[in-house]
Amino acid sequence: SSDVCSSDLGFRACKMVVAATGFFDGVHLGHAKVVEQLCATARAEGSPSAIITFWPHPRSILRQDAGKLRLLNSLEEKEARFKSLGVDQGHVIEFTRELSKMTAEQFIREYLIDRFGVTALVVGYDHRLGCRNTGSDDIVRIAGSCGIKAVRVGAISDSYNTISSTYIRNLIETGGIERANALLGYEYTLKGVVVRGQGKGRQMGFRTANMGLYDPLKLVPYNGVYAVWATVEGKTYKGVCNIGCRPTTEDGRGLTIETHLLDFDEDIYGLDLSVRFVEFIREEQRFGSMESLRVQLLKDADAATQILKQAHP
């Protein structure tokens, strides 16, 4: 059977818990509504609240376009977000082909009741469970027949769409980072290590930190230039991040994530770097000369400075 990992979100494991299950990619405002109901129900029941999630993503195990799969959160980011929202317990179930063959009722009985002692279940509006893709209304009914009180949470929408991980991924992939941030409830972030580039930015007076992503499955935003907050060694700086294939230098390095930290000129190779995306500035473009690129980089830095004056680090 699948392995279960419990993360310590400041709790002692005990029976009689109120839980919500799902993958929760992004832990966006729709998920936050489920968590809010989860915590309120747990308080009313006098029980701890628990999130029971899965890793890796089911699509990567079931080979459903797994090669294209990109995620909004690493597992660590997801757990930190749940903790910030007030959840008491976090449990991670390893998703396997064996697990994928369980029905919703089998999962509720074998995992929720027998393993975790769940007495109440909070269900999102579009949650599906088990090999038959059982929907939320049926999950509520099945949970009730197993002796678990179930609470269903409705959808929340922005002015265009119901908020979902898929919708937010689409926004990030098309340059809509500001709207994506609004629906996430926080600024979308990439984390990695600073690796050596070719030094051409430094030659133009724009030293950049090239990022090697820690999580290869993290979704990389649309190619272009962004105003960002960059954090290194516990300090946060204003920055400009360029994502793309360097069409002006044509160095054949493939996709790069380069961040110029404003008012900063230290050697940070090999250090951790966290970049929070605030606003899209412009599309990636090819310049006729390195000098015209340098002039544009100055304009980008000015644009980022103005944008970040209105924001908080």
Side-chain angles (χ1 to χ4, degrees), residues 127-144:
H127 187 42
R128 298 192 172 276
L129 189 64
C131 62
R132 294 175 190 146
N133 219 13
T134 304
S136 57
D137 288 337
D138 284 331
I139 294 170
V140 169
R141 179 182 54 75
I142 293 167

Side-chain angles (χ1 to χ4, degrees), residues 64-185:
Q64 298 167 337
D65 67 0
K68 299 177 184 175
L69 177 67
R70 293 295 178 267
L71 302 176
L72 299 170
N73 293 144
S74 66
L75 185 57
E76 293 74 18
E77 288 171 336
K78 195 155 53 169
E79 290 178 337
R81 180 78 176 137
F82 286 134
K83 185 174 182 179
S84 75
L85 292 172
V87 176
D88 296 316
Q89 301 182 10
H91 302 288
V92 182
I93 298 173
E94 180 187 5
F95 192 88
T96 62
R97 285 191 172 275
E98 180 186 1
L99 187 73
S100 75
K101 294 172 185 173
M102 296 183 83
T103 65
E105 183 170 352
Q106 286 174 316
F107 181 81
I108 288 169
R109 290 190 185 279
E110 292 183 29
Y111 278 87
L112 300 191
I113 296 174
D114 293 347
R115 291 202 186 195
F116 299 116
V118 173
T119 54
L121 182 67
V122 176
V123 181
Y125 81 98
D126 64 345
H127 187 42
R128 298 192 172 276
L129 189 64
C131 62
R132 294 175 190 146
N133 219 13
T134 304
S136 57
D137 288 337
D138 284 331
I139 294 170
V140 169
R141 179 182 54 75
I142 293 167
S145 71
C146 295
I148 293 180
K149 182 168 85 174
V151 179
R152 187 175 184 272
V153 179
I156 66 169
S157 304
D158 69 354
S159 52
Y160 298 93
N161 272 297
T162 298
I163 298 172
S164 70
S165 303
T166 299
Y167 178 36
I168 293 170
R169 285 190 208 106
N170 288 341
L171 287 169
I172 293 171
E173 287 177 317
T174 54
I177 197 70
E178 291 170 83
R179 181 169 290 280
N181 288 343
L183 303 186
L184 286 168

Side-chain angles (χ1 to χ4, degrees), residues 1-291:
S1 62
S2 298
D3 291 330
V4 177
C5 303
S6 295
S7 62
D8 184 357
L9 302 185
F11 72 93
R12 274 186 312 111
C14 61
K15 296 295 183 180
M16 306 276 292
V17 303
V18 178
T21 71
F23 194 78
F24 299 104
D25 189 31
V27 196
H28 52 63
L29 294 185
H31 296 142
K33 186 177 180 183
V34 173
V35 172
E36 182 182 0
Q37 182 63 61
L38 170 69
C39 294
T41 304
R43 283 193 299 271
E45 298 280 322
S47 299
S49 57
I51 289 288
I52 299 169
T53 190
F54 308 95
W55 199 266
H57 196 288
R59 274 164 51 190
S60 67
I61 298 300
L62 301 176
R63 299 295 175 205
Q64 298 167 337
D65 67 0
K68 299 177 184 175
L69 177 67
R70 293 295 178 267
L71 302 176
L72 299 170
N73 293 144
S74 66
L75 185 57
E76 293 74 18
E77 288 171 336
K78 195 155 53 169
E79 290 178 337
R81 180 78 176 137
F82 286 134
K83 185 174 182 179
S84 75
L85 292 172
V87 176
D88 296 316
Q89 301 182 10
H91 302 288
V92 182
I93 298 173
E94 180 187 5
F95 192 88
T96 62
R97 285 191 172 275
E98 180 186 1
L99 187 73
S100 75
K101 294 172 185 173
M102 296 183 83
T103 65
E105 183 170 352
Q106 286 174 316
F107 181 81
I108 288 169
R109 290 190 185 279
E110 292 183 29
Y111 278 87
L112 300 191
I113 296 174
D114 293 347
R115 291 202 186 195
F116 299 116
V118 173
T119 54
L121 182 67
V122 176
V123 181
Y125 81 98
D126 64 345
H127 187 42
R128 298 192 172 276
L129 189 64
C131 62
R132 294 175 190 146
N133 219 13
T134 304
S136 57
D137 288 337
D138 284 331
I139 294 170
V140 169
R141 179 182 54 75
I142 293 167
S145 71
C146 295
I148 293 180
K149 182 168 85 174
V151 179
R152 187 175 184 272
V153 179
I156 66 169
S157 304
D158 69 354
S159 52
Y160 298 93
N161 272 297
T162 298
I163 298 172
S164 70
S165 303
T166 299
Y167 178 36
I168 293 170
R169 285 190 208 106
N170 288 341
L171 287 169
I172 293 171
E173 287 177 317
T174 54
I177 197 70
E178 291 170 83
R179 181 169 290 280
N181 288 343
L183 303 186
L184 286 168
Y186 58 91
E187 287 155 347
Y188 187 69
T189 304
L190 294 181
K191 296 177 181 177
V193 63
V194 180
V195 298
R196 290 197 179 273
Q198 292 193 327
K200 291 184 178 177
R202 185 189 302 187
Q203 292 167 17
M204 292 188 292
F206 279 86
R207 191 173 188 167
T208 59
N210 288 264
M211 178 186 284
L213 286 178
Y214 283 138
D215 189 340
L217 287 183
K218 274 280 283 195
L219 179 68
V220 176
Y222 179 69
N223 287 7
V225 178
Y226 296 82
V228 300
W229 293 113
T231 301
V232 61
E233 292 196 309
K235 292 184 179 178
T236 299
Y237 304 89
K238 294 174 181 175
V240 185
C241 182
N242 183 84
I243 296 174
C245 299
R246 300 165 61 92
T248 301
T249 59
E250 293 183 334
D251 56 18
R253 289 170 53 208
L255 187 72
T256 59
I257 304 165
E258 299 177 285
T259 304
H260 172 62
L261 281 63
L262 302 176
D263 305 316
F264 180 89
D265 191 31
E266 295 177 31
D267 185 346
I268 55 174
Y269 292 125
L271 297 184
D272 293 337
L273 178 67
S274 175
V275 175
R276 289 185 282 127
F277 291 81
V278 177
E279 191 172 315
F280 182 74
I281 295 176
R282 65 173 175 85
E283 304 240 353
E284 180 181 42
Q285 61 190 100
R286 188 179 189 281
F287 294 92
S289 67
M290 296 300 284
E291 176 58 22

